[in-house]
Amino acid sequence: MTAPIVIVGAGLAGLRTAEELRRAGYAHGLVLVGDESRLPYDRPPLSKQFVRGETDDTTLRPAEFFDENRIELRLDTAAVGVDTAARQVRLADGSVLDYDQLVIATGLRPRRLPGLPDLKGVHVLRDHTDAATLRSELAGAKKALVVGAGFIGCEVAASFRASGVEVVLVEPQPTPLASVLGEQVGALVARMHRAEGVDLRCDTGLDTFLADDSDRVRGARLSDGTECAADLVVIGVGSRPVTDWLTDSGIELAEPTAGGGVLTDEVGRTSAPGVWAVGDVAAWLHDTGHRKRVEHWTNAGEQAKLLTCALLGLAAPAAAQVPYFWSDQYEVKIQALGTPNAADDITIAVDDGRKFLAYYAQDGILTGVVGAGMTAKVMKTRAKLATPTPLTEILTPATT
């Protein structure tokens, strides 16, 4: 019998790949391996609706879906190695899985700040267990410290304020999201958080935590020498790809200084025969000629389609949609289309004091659009971003 396709990583990218394989007519063995005990679930709500207690279940597919689609689930079992010559994956429980094709979809792991005391009440947020623990402690919290004003940090800060908790949000950069969306747009996001009562301190890092007699966090000393009280802390300073289990595999990996991840071509094919990578862990080759990882929810589905067609030798799907991602903060949805970059020329086209619309351009050509509370205006630009469009062509209509 032909060995199965083995997908390591039971998050969104792994699940979407399994779904696409069955949808495309692949009828042989299919194994989905995950290191968590839960069925594949949606992660974005963890920092928002779940941590606030507004939803309890973010499961993507019920158990019967996997039975009906003949997808063998190997949950609560991490992959610890791969032998690409023998085409075998080694699992933490001591078992070995033979594979015909291997898809790596192991995602990310939160970064932790080195040299800090290990205290109760200090958390990272990536998986369901992290979110459940944070949710239980949030119920009794009065003052929280959030370290890092990226998307996760900003969403957590917003959720905490919605729950009535005082929040100090510290960020070493000049504004929230400065490295992603640029300082101009970051300043508008900062304004929104301050209007909601967040004590936002930019150009400020974390020195150390302060503990009480029971080794629980009671506050922190910041890089500027000031101290702040906190009975709950969340560290949101980015993530790193889960590739340690591939160290001796011979599969080419990106250097950590370049963002890390599994190096692939434009359809997810790695340097090893029969091995592919998809989702947050994959550094795909893009039309710019560079390999980079894209950590967006919609990207997982787009990559799964491309990978499936290439793996099965099918015609490539229609051109991928314009990249899209979003972040819910307070009642405002921040949306981005295209490939906005902090180094682009940024034009703030609309700003009413809370909601805003910004255009990103390189050499006068539109590259991205970011809006807060501007869903219709953002989505209206999708066709313009699908083909090279001069910024001047859309600036005037945007201001009316």
Side-chain angles (χ1 to χ4, degrees):
M1 292 182 64
T2 303
I5 293 178
V6 174
I7 303 170
V8 178
L12 180 67
L15 174 62
R16 290 288 182 261
T17 302
E19 291 175 337
E20 291 295 336
L21 284 165
R22 287 300 189 226
R23 191 175 291 123
Y26 176 74
H28 302 293
L30 187 54
V31 182
L32 185 60
V33 178
D35 61 358
E36 296 184 63
S37 59
R38 306 183 66 85
L39 291 170
Y41 60 88
D42 206 11
R43 293 182 190 273
L46 296 183
S47 60
K48 301 179 279 289
Q49 297 94 332
F50 183 87
V51 79
R52 295 195 299 263
E54 296 168 6
T55 187
D56 294 321
D57 186 10
T58 68
T59 303
L60 289 165
R61 298 292 187 189
E64 52 267 29
F65 169 85
F66 299 94
D67 294 334
E68 292 167 359
N69 288 275
R70 294 176 294 108
I71 300 170
E72 179 185 347
L73 281 174
R74 295 286 295 267
L75 300 179
D76 205 19
T77 306
V80 296
V82 57
D83 183 335
T84 58
R87 296 206 175 198
Q88 292 182 325
V89 174
R90 300 190 306 277
L91 303 181
D93 62 6
S95 62
V96 173
L97 280 175
D98 294 320
Y99 68 84
D100 176 61
Q101 302 286 311
L102 171 65
V103 180
I104 299 166
T106 41
L108 307 174
R109 182 175 294 128
R111 295 185 185 278
R112 294 180 181 269
L113 295 171
L116 295 171
D118 185 12
L119 302 176
K120 290 174 282 188
V122 177
H123 304 274
V124 293
L125 178 56
R126 177 62 183 172
D127 61 27
H128 191 279
T129 300
D130 295 333
T133 302
L134 188 57
R135 173 171 157 173
S136 66
E137 293 196 14
L138 179 61
K142 295 182 178 179
K143 297 177 182 289
L145 169 67
V146 179
V147 181
F151 285 112
I152 290 294
C154 285
E155 289 174 1
V156 167
S159 289
F160 284 5
R161 286 300 298 136
S163 300
V165 176
E166 295 181 29
V167 178
V168 175
L169 175 59
V170 298
E171 170 54 56
Q173 297 185 85
T175 71
L177 304 171
S179 63
V180 182
L181 301 181
E183 292 181 25
Q184 284 176 270
V185 172
L188 303 181
V189 175
R191 180 184 65 190
M192 178 173 64
H193 281 274
R194 288 186 171 121
E196 293 289 341
V198 173
D199 182 357
L200 174 61
R201 307 187 192 184
C202 296
D203 293 311
T204 305
L206 174 67
D207 182 11
T208 191
F209 294 128
L210 307 175
D212 62 17
D213 294 336
S214 63
D215 286 333
R216 182 173 184 85
V217 69
R218 64 173 179 82
R221 184 167 62 246
L222 305 181
S223 60
D224 60 4
T226 62
E227 294 185 0
C228 64
D231 45 28
L232 186 60
V233 174
V234 176
I235 299 174
V237 292
S239 303
R240 61 180 181 85
V242 180
T243 57
D244 43 341
W245 66 289
L246 301 171
T247 301
D248 299 320
S249 68
I251 297 169
E252 286 189 48
L253 305 177
E255 292 294 329
T257 52
V262 181
L263 291 172
T264 82
D265 65 9
E266 67 279 4
V267 293
R269 188 182 289 109
T270 75
S271 62
V275 180
W276 311 72
V278 67
D280 293 348
V281 75
W284 273 40
L285 179 65
H286 291 259
D287 53 14
T288 59
H290 296 92
R291 288 181 171 90
K292 65 177 180 179
R293 294 185 303 101
V294 178
E295 301 175 17
H296 301 323
W297 194 92
T298 54
N299 182 67
E302 294 295 330
Q303 287 188 344
K305 292 176 185 177
L306 290 168
L307 184 154
T308 294
C309 289
L311 189 155
L312 297 179
L314 304 175
Q321 297 180 2
V322 173
Y324 171 69
F325 64 93
W326 74 93
S327 175
D328 294 314
Q329 300 176 31
Y330 309 105
E331 83 289 356
V332 176
K333 182 179 288 292
I334 299 175
Q335 297 169 292
L337 275 174
T339 56
N341 190 292
D344 290 349
D345 296 321
I346 301 173
T347 301
I348 308 298
V350 179
D351 178 11
D352 71 357
R354 185 172 180 83
K355 300 176 182 179
F356 62 82
L357 182 71
Y359 291 123
Y360 292 69
Q362 291 182 9
D363 298 323
I365 301 299
L366 186 69
T367 57
V369 179
V370 175
M374 294 275 178
T375 298
K377 288 184 181 294
V378 170
M379 292 308 181
K380 201 173 153 180
T381 62
R382 188 185 294 273
K384 300 290 186 183
L385 285 161
T387 57
T389 301
L391 178 62
T392 53
E393 185 178 311
I394 58 173
L395 271 180
T396 302
T399 60
T400 60

